[in-house]
Amino acid sequence: MYFFQDLFLPPQRSTVAADTDALFGFVHATSFIFLVLIVAAIVGFSIIYRRRSEHDSTPVITHNAKLEITWSVIPFILVMIVFGWGFRGYLNLRTAPPDAYEVRAIGKSWLWEFHYDNGTVSVGELHVPVDRPVKLVMNSTDVIHSFYVPDYRIKRDVLPGRYSSVWFEATETGESIVFCTEYCGTAHSDMMAKVVVHEEEEFNTWLATANVQDSNLPPAELGAELVVRNACATCHSSDGSELQGPTFAGLFGKTETMEDGTTVTVDENYIRSSILRPNEQIVAGYQPVMPPYEGTLNDNQINAIIEYIKTLD
Ligand code: CUA
C-alpha cells in the first residue's frame, strides 16, 4: 500500500485521507488480483482446450448453476463492500462536526474568495488552524465550480443560487493546493488557490491582522500585491501581454472603445466602477466574464490598485 501511496497519491494531510486511500487501495488490489486470475484462465484454457484434431469438439453446455452462482455472489459481495465503505466516507464528508470553524467560500470565474467570521476577506488563500475541523459553506456567483483539495481528499461542487458545504481537518501545518475541477470557462485551469494551515495561535494573529497589515504599505506597492492576491493577474497582465482582459500596462489615461461604440477615458472612476461592476462597460473585443468585486475589496484597496495601475506605462 505504501508503494501505491508514493507512486501516485499526494501526501495525506487531513483526518479522512487515510481511509479514502485505503478504499482506493482496496479497489485497485482487488482489480489487480482479478486481472491476473482472468488472464491466467484465458491463457490456460486456450492451451488446454485448443483444437487438436478434426473430430475434436466440445459438447453443448446449457448452464452450470454452481458456476453461475459463484460468479454472481463474489462480485456482489465485493461491490457491496466498496459501496458500504464509500457511502460511509460520503456521509462523513457531508456531516461536519458541530464544533467546526465555519468559513464562507465563494467561487467566481476565475478565483476563490473566503470570508471569515470577523469580516476578513481573502482571495486565493484559505487560512485555517491545524487540528481543528473547518467547515466551508460555499456558493458560486456565476457558473458551476468545484472545490478540490487533493491533499485532503475532499471535493465538492460549488453552485450558483444554492449553498453546498464540505469540511476537513488539516493534520499538519503548511500549504496545500486547491483546484477547480468543474470546467468553467477560459481560465478554468488557472482557477487555483492554496490552503494555508497555521498553528492555532498563529491563525488567530493572521485573522486579526490580515486586513490591517495592508495599511502599512505605500498604496502602489499594496496595489501590486492586491492584484496578485485577488487573482486580477489571472486575466490582466502588467507587462502588456494579452490575456482574457485588457492589460494594465499603459491603461491609465488611455481612451478605450466600448462594445456599444462609445469611448471612455480610463481614469480613477472608470477603473473603480470596472472593479466593482465590471460588466456595465465592456471594452470592445472582450467578453463580459469578470466577477464583480463589490463586497470583496474596500475603498482603500481599490485606491491602492488604481495607484498601482498608474505606475505602469
Ligand atoms: Cu471554476 Cu473551473
Side-chain angles (χ1 to χ4, degrees):
M1 212 56 80
Y2 286 102
F3 173 70
F4 266 138
Q5 191 65 48
D6 296 343
L7 193 63
F8 46 60
L9 290 177
Q12 299 174 342
R13 289 186 173 146
S14 80
T15 47
V16 300
D19 188 53
T20 306
D21 290 0
L23 175 55
F24 181 80
F26 175 78
V27 171
H28 272 79
T30 326
S31 306
F32 187 73
I33 291 167
F34 278 93
L35 174 77
V36 169
L37 290 177
I38 290 167
V39 170
I42 292 172
V43 173
F45 287 157
S46 59
I47 292 169
I48 295 167
Y49 297 109
R50 72 187 184 280
R51 176 183 278 199
R52 270 160 288 201
S53 76
E54 280 304 306
H55 312 289
D56 221 13
S57 65
T58 314
V60 176
I61 301 166
T62 56
H63 70 279
N64 182 327
K66 241 189 232 167
L67 192 62
E68 283 160 21
I69 290 171
T70 311
W71 79 41
S72 302
V73 169
I74 294 177
F76 178 75
I77 293 172
L78 289 173
V79 166
M80 288 320 286
I81 292 174
V82 172
F83 172 78
W85 198 336
F87 190 61
R88 202 190 55 181
Y90 172 78
L91 285 183
N92 181 29
L93 272 189
R94 290 299 300 270
T95 333
D99 61 335
Y101 179 71
E102 221 173 279
V103 179
R104 295 265 292 110
I106 302 173
K108 296 178 176 181
S109 299
W110 294 282
L111 57 90
W112 293 104
E113 188 178 300
F114 305 97
H115 293 244
Y116 304 81
D117 54 1
N118 71 340
T120 297
V121 180
S122 67
V123 175
E125 279 179 9
L126 168 60
H127 292 258
V128 298
V130 72
D131 294 329
R132 176 155 177 212
V134 174
K135 180 185 179 185
L136 297 179
V137 179
M138 312 186 288
N139 75 306
S140 161
T141 54
D142 35 58
V143 296
I144 302 178
H145 303 281
S146 188
F147 187 88
Y148 177 38
V149 187
D151 289 355
Y152 299 163
R153 312 292 189 271
I154 58 159
K155 184 195 280 181
R156 189 96 164 96
D157 277 6
V158 176
L159 313 164
R162 69 178 285 180
Y163 300 110
S164 58
S165 78
V166 71
W167 76 276
F168 61 87
E169 182 175 333
T171 50
E172 52 182 275
T173 55
E175 296 183 355
S176 291
I177 299 179
V178 179
F179 291 105
C180 175
T181 43
E182 184 66 52
Y183 181 67
C184 55
T186 328
H188 156 71
S189 56
D190 292 327
M191 190 171 165
M192 290 192 277
K194 59 183 175 183
V195 187
V196 183
V197 185
H198 303 273
E199 294 292 349
E200 181 86 37
E201 209 167 297
E202 193 184 82
F203 170 74
N204 290 331
T205 313
W206 176 85
L207 192 61
T209 56
N211 288 8
V212 182
Q213 286 170 345
D214 289 356
S215 51
N216 299 330
L217 286 175
E221 249 171 71
L222 171 60
E225 214 173 272
L226 290 171
V227 158
V228 175
R229 235 201 273 157
N230 291 282
C232 314
T234 306
C235 299
H236 301 277
S237 75
S238 292
D239 61 3
S241 53
E242 275 297 307
L243 297 173
Q244 279 84 23
T247 179
F248 287 153
L251 183 65
F252 196 84
K254 198 172 156 191
T255 305
E256 294 272 35
T257 308
M258 300 294 121
E259 282 284 73
D260 60 6
T262 58
T263 56
V264 169
T265 302
V266 178
D267 59 5
E268 283 90 347
N269 278 320
Y270 176 70
I271 297 178
R272 183 186 160 81
S273 70
S274 295
I275 292 171
L276 294 175
R277 295 171 300 277
N279 299 327
E280 282 179 5
Q281 290 174 295
I282 296 290
V283 176
Y286 292 96
Q287 297 295 312
V289 289
M290 178 171 156
Y293 278 79
E294 218 154 22
T296 308
L297 294 173
N298 59 35
D299 280 355
N300 188 33
Q301 294 170 315
I302 291 171
N303 289 340
I305 291 173
I306 293 172
E307 290 312 312
Y308 168 65
I309 292 175
K310 279 186 186 172
T311 65
L312 302 167
D313 36 38

